[in-house]
Amino acid sequence: RPGGSLLLRVPALPWLCTRRDERFHTQRRYTRGQLSQQVSMAGLAIERLSYANVLLLPLAIGQRWLGQYFPQVANMGDRIPPPVINWMGKAILRGETWWLRYHSFPWGLSLICQARKPQL
């Protein structure tokens, strides 16, 4: 509706697509430009658009690269991590949340978009 807002968080970087995306029913991964175009075509005004999960990106790239050669590595992300790893992941994401209040990231595993439907 006019004046309504939308907050999206979607998977980013199509070149990161693997069988894991199929298992988790990821329909597509977006670049910043692709998401911007889709949101704008829907008639929404973008207020904020940034990549997120930047600190976990090198780990994801490494896992995908090693997964090509070692099948057991390709499926590592499917399991629930040990509590200490889970805690570290949460701490990283909290830090990124603070950063995103004031800045944007140039790349990351996800894209976040805040948009609004213009008033009539």
Side-chain angles (χ1 to χ4, degrees), residues 57-79:
L57 180 60
L59 297 174
I61 292 171
Q63 183 211 11
R64 281 155 173 87
W65 182 77
L66 286 171
Q68 296 174 30
Y69 306 102
F70 304 100
Q72 65 274 22
V73 174
N75 298 323
M76 281 176 55
D78 296 354
R79 296 186 297 269

Side-chain angles (χ1 to χ4, degrees), residues 23-36:
R23 288 193 305 275
F24 286 91
H25 306 286
T26 300
Q27 296 297 313
R28 64 189 54 85
R29 288 180 165 273
Y30 295 89
T31 64
R32 185 182 174 109
Q34 290 168 332
L35 186 59
S36 175

Side-chain angles (χ1 to χ4, degrees), residues 5-107:
S5 61
L6 172 73
L7 180 62
L8 290 175
R9 185 177 191 121
V10 297
L13 306 174
W15 54 270
L16 281 176
C17 192
T18 62
R19 293 202 48 148
R20 184 175 192 274
D21 289 284
E22 293 174 24
R23 288 193 305 275
F24 286 91
H25 306 286
T26 300
Q27 296 297 313
R28 64 189 54 85
R29 288 180 165 273
Y30 295 89
T31 64
R32 185 182 174 109
Q34 290 168 332
L35 186 59
S36 175
Q37 182 179 24
Q38 292 293 314
V39 170
S40 295
M41 285 175 40
L44 300 167
I46 295 173
E47 296 177 339
R48 185 81 194 279
L49 179 59
S50 177
Y51 283 98
N53 296 83
V54 68
L55 297 174
L56 299 176
L57 180 60
L59 297 174
I61 292 171
Q63 183 211 11
R64 281 155 173 87
W65 182 77
L66 286 171
Q68 296 174 30
Y69 306 102
F70 304 100
Q72 65 274 22
V73 174
N75 298 323
M76 281 176 55
D78 296 354
R79 296 186 297 269
I80 296 173
V84 67
I85 300 296
N86 214 16
W87 179 86
M88 287 174 23
K90 286 180 185 178
I92 288 169
L93 293 177
R94 273 191 223 107
E96 286 191 5
T97 299
W98 176 84
W99 178 266
L100 283 167
R101 289 181 185 164
Y102 310 101
H103 310 283
S104 293
F105 289 117
W107 58 81

